[in-house]
Amino acid sequence: MEYALKNGINNLIFSGGYTFKDSTTSEAMLMSSLIDQPTPTINIVLEQRALTTLHNLLYAKEVIESLNFDQYELYIFCDQVRFFKVYILSKLIFNESKVNLIKFRRQERVIAYIMQIPSILYQSLGAVSPGWEKKLSIAKQKWINKYR
């Protein structure tokens, strides 16, 4: 919240769905619960459908479009392991907008970094192909139902 106040950000979109099989809290709800003191000058929107990084950005774009902003500057926060993927996807999805990426460190095993390589390819295809994007969404939901 401090970063938003310092940089004049008046809309925050927390994006992330129910990424565990029996979860009662979405990722978006979890992120918003970490705010110490909500402020009336900042509008908070929860987007709770996204199950992948691609869908976080696609659904956030839908929210932005529904708010009818003529011009906007984006600040996208992500962990270090997904930084390159978010950079590429944001260029594909928000190509005409000014995008600022803010990464934060999170302890990850090396395998998490290695798995980003195929993920970048698949999700980039999804960013430019609606059919591929839907397949990714269905596959992720099946994976959550089976393994998480």
Side-chain angles (χ1 to χ4, degrees):
M1 187 61 77
E2 184 179 325
Y3 188 94
L5 290 169
K6 278 185 181 178
N7 290 283
I9 299 170
N10 30 8
N11 291 289
L12 292 176
I13 302 168
F14 293 110
S15 181
Y18 297 85
T19 55
F20 291 93
K21 188 176 181 179
D22 298 322
S23 180
T24 58
T25 304
S26 70
E27 288 182 352
M29 289 169 37
L30 179 64
M31 286 183 280
S32 70
S33 72
L34 297 175
I35 295 176
D36 293 334
Q37 296 177 338
T39 175
T41 60
I42 297 178
N43 178 40
I44 296 175
V45 178
L46 301 182
E47 181 293 300
Q48 301 179 82
R49 298 180 297 155
L51 299 177
T52 66
T53 304
L54 169 65
H55 292 96
N56 285 334
L57 297 174
L58 287 174
Y59 297 155
K61 185 176 182 177
E62 286 179 9
V63 170
I64 291 166
E65 289 172 350
S66 74
L67 296 172
N68 294 319
F69 294 129
D70 290 330
Q71 290 184 318
Y72 54 87
E73 184 172 345
L74 292 170
Y75 292 83
I76 300 173
F77 295 82
C78 68
D79 58 17
Q80 183 172 316
V81 73
R82 289 170 186 81
F83 182 81
F84 188 60
K85 176 169 50 178
V86 171
Y87 174 81
I88 290 170
L89 292 174
S90 67
K91 292 294 184 188
L92 293 169
I93 295 167
F94 298 105
N95 56 2
E96 298 297 319
S97 303
K98 179 164 182 176
V99 177
N100 304 286
L101 292 182
I102 299 95
K103 66 180 171 183
F104 55 90
R105 292 188 184 274
R106 186 170 88 174
Q107 192 72 337
E108 292 281 356
R109 295 184 307 174
V110 173
I111 190 70
Y113 287 89
I114 293 169
M115 292 308 298
Q116 293 308 304
I117 296 167
S119 179
I120 289 168
L121 296 173
Y122 295 142
Q123 291 191 29
S124 294
L125 283 172
V128 297
S129 170
W132 191 255
E133 174 269 321
K134 293 209 183 313
K135 287 179 185 179
L136 283 171
S137 182
I138 292 167
K140 182 67 175 201
Q141 187 61 57
K142 285 180 182 178
W143 187 83
I144 288 170
N145 292 338
K146 186 173 182 179
Y147 296 107
R148 286 194 169 186

